[in-house]
Amino acid sequence: MWTILHACIWILLCAISTCVYTQDTGTVRLVNGPDELSGRVEIFINNTWSTVCDDEWDINDAHVVCRQLGHGTAKQADAHFGQGSGPIAFDDVDCVGDESFLESCSHAGLFNHDCVHDEDAGVVCNSNAYASVRLVEGQSRYEGRVEVYYQGQWGSICDDDWGMEEAEVVCRQLGFGPALSATTDAYFGPGTGDILLDDVGCAGDEDELGACYHVGWGVTDCGHSEDAGVICNRTSGNEGEIRLVGGSSPFEGRIEIYHDGEWGTVCDDQFDIDDATVVCTQLGFGSVSSVKTGGHFGNGNGVILLDEIACVGTETNLSSCPNAGWGNHDCSHSEDVGVVCNVTPGVATIRLVDGEHPSEGRVEIFHDGHWGTICDDSWDMVDANVACQQLGYHRAVAAKSAAYFGQGTGNILLDDIECTGDETSIQTCQSKGWGVHDCGHSEDAGVVCGNYSDLEIEVRLVDKDTIGNIMGRVEVLYDGVWGTVCDDR
């Protein structure tokens, strides 16, 4: 959490050096226009700003760009603002119009085009009566300090009266999933320039932040140490994935679980410390601090998915614990359960992201207030075993490289990891040091974890006896490769 001292140090450092923030892959910007609402469309891909060809470019595509920038709808798609330089990322873009990101739209393939830069696409966005909004300095596009655009400038929002209702509106306006957290005290760092809104009061069902009550544009008694922020959820999840919603930090909140295409809550009937231990372990946060019942982190909405959970405490995911069955309950949302997980200051926690199952995914670690990825240089089964055991699994089934589970965002926190196999956490293995690497996110490391009961071993006999096929050299299939078995013991 940022304090006034943090803010002063930050400002001093930026005064004597260059403060650089990395862009999130898929970020768009408008270039060479007369104002913030118009310009040539450029998108940040593979660490480079690239243009978009205007073949098939129409108003639906322009709507997506304007919405992603927080400007609402598009006024004009057949606009040109000069020739760009560098790569042309997309051609034949075909958006439906309701996508949250330009990169989500159909196109001819990354850098696959038959265009030149005099075909670079542009847009003119509508100037809304309400403020445009953006998130700044988060580790992904789904989180950051909230800034609004008013009368030609971006400015921050004071955290007086800032809560989940206001965060919900911001996340909805940006096209993201529900708000996970409303942050205060410049959690994502202090902004610069004007503080444009204070004492914001939303009901929670508004479509845009500018429709909420506030004391007036530019009227405030705050400093940037009180800048407000949000953490939004992405629009979908993986089966059995869990998240914490409504807490003041990533380590606490109402438990929600993803099943059959939707997020739902968990009833607090019989929910105890063993169940909470599984939740904190699945999230990579280690031990549990406390269980919060009675809708402590606010009442959820939608379905209640689990009730009467009875974990032993050693399970690796909540959905594997005994329960009343998906959707079977006698609860209301006033019984939504939450947890507070323990996090040791300065010690990384770990999670798996973007896998098909909770036991696999891109490895991400939490360090110094943010999630980040691991580079696959020297990444092997020994390292993967440590990661899986830290998450509560018996062992690794596979060590994955080259962003097998997709590219992450934000910082790459570790590189050249060399575990011996005896470590209890990945951050205690030898590495180059926090944040020291020579990698891009195309090298993000991943794992597939398993318990002994989960592992299916395919076996074959080679150079078999030709009579009856009952003799031969034993070989097993592991991580896609056949290998032999040593005869020791």
Side-chain angles (χ1 to χ4, degrees), residues 44-303:
F44 195 74
I45 298 285
N46 288 355
N47 295 316
T48 302
W49 285 105
S50 303
T51 62
V52 177
C53 182
D54 64 5
D55 292 347
E56 309 299 334
W57 187 257
D58 62 19
I59 196 67
N60 288 331
D61 310 320
H63 282 325
V64 174
V65 171
C66 292
R67 185 183 302 109
Q68 184 173 347
L69 288 167
H71 296 323
T73 59
K75 178 188 298 184
Q76 184 180 351
D78 57 342
H80 293 86
F81 296 93
Q83 298 183 24
S85 59
I88 298 174
F90 296 150
D91 189 14
D92 294 327
V93 176
D94 185 16
C95 302
V96 175
D98 59 2
E99 296 88 349
S100 297
F101 310 111
L102 183 64
E103 63 178 325
S104 302
C105 298
S106 173
H107 54 79
L110 186 59
F111 304 126
N112 183 27
H113 65 87
D114 58 358
C115 306
V116 292
H117 280 298
D118 62 6
E119 300 172 80
D120 287 341
V123 299
V124 178
C125 302
N126 280 310
S127 178
N128 298 325
Y130 303 135
S132 301
V133 64
R134 68 182 182 185
L135 303 183
V136 179
E137 291 178 28
Q139 291 299 299
S140 78
R141 69 185 65 169
Y142 303 102
E143 65 179 30
R145 182 176 66 250
V146 181
E147 295 190 350
V148 289
Y149 188 77
Y150 180 71
Q151 290 190 351
Q153 64 177 332
W154 288 99
S156 58
I157 298 175
C158 180
D159 63 11
D160 293 347
D161 295 327
W162 187 256
M164 285 300 294
E165 291 83 3
E166 291 72 40
E168 285 285 355
V169 175
V170 170
C171 294
R172 181 182 301 115
Q173 182 173 349
L174 289 169
F176 300 147
L180 297 179
S181 182
T183 67
T184 57
D185 299 321
Y187 183 89
F188 292 102
T192 57
D194 292 339
I195 298 172
L196 291 175
L197 291 176
D198 191 8
D199 292 322
V200 177
C202 302
D205 57 359
E206 296 88 348
D207 290 327
E208 302 196 21
L209 191 65
C212 300
Y213 169 82
H214 55 85
V215 294
W217 290 102
V219 180
T220 182
D221 57 357
C222 304
H224 281 297
S225 62
E226 300 171 83
D227 284 345
V230 298
I231 301 173
C232 304
N233 193 67
R234 62 182 189 269
T235 54
S236 62
N238 300 314
E239 182 66 25
E241 182 180 346
I242 58 175
R243 66 186 185 188
L244 302 182
V245 180
S248 60
S249 80
F251 313 112
E252 65 177 25
R254 179 177 66 251
I255 301 168
E256 296 192 352
I257 188 166
Y258 193 79
H259 171 66
D260 198 22
E262 62 182 336
W263 288 98
T265 61
V266 176
C267 182
D268 62 11
D269 292 348
Q270 309 302 322
F271 199 93
D272 61 17
I273 200 72
D274 291 331
D275 309 317
T277 296
V278 174
V279 170
C280 293
T281 299
Q282 183 175 346
L283 289 168
F285 294 148
S287 62
V288 62
S289 173
S290 60
V291 175
K292 301 295 184 180
T293 59
H296 178 87
F297 292 105
N299 297 347
N301 50 47
V303 294

Side-chain angles (χ1 to χ4, degrees), residues 333-416:
H333 281 298
S334 63
E335 300 171 81
D336 286 342
V337 71
V339 296
V340 178
C341 300
N342 283 317
V343 177
T344 304
V347 176
T349 52
I350 186 171
R351 68 183 181 184
L352 303 182
V353 180
D354 289 343
E356 292 294 326
H357 308 282
S359 58
E360 65 180 25
R362 182 175 62 254
V363 180
E364 296 192 352
I365 48 179
F366 192 86
H367 176 71
D368 198 24
H370 297 288
W371 287 101
T373 62
I374 295 176
C375 181
D376 64 9
D377 292 347
S378 303
W379 184 253
D380 59 19
M381 284 297 295
V382 178
D383 311 320
N385 268 327
V386 173
C388 289
Q389 288 166 4
Q390 183 175 351
L391 286 164
Y393 295 97
H394 287 148
R395 54 164 291 177
V397 177
K400 297 296 187 181
S401 58
Y404 182 88
F405 294 102
Q407 298 186 24
T409 58
N411 293 329
I412 299 173
L413 292 176
L414 292 176
D415 188 15
D416 286 328

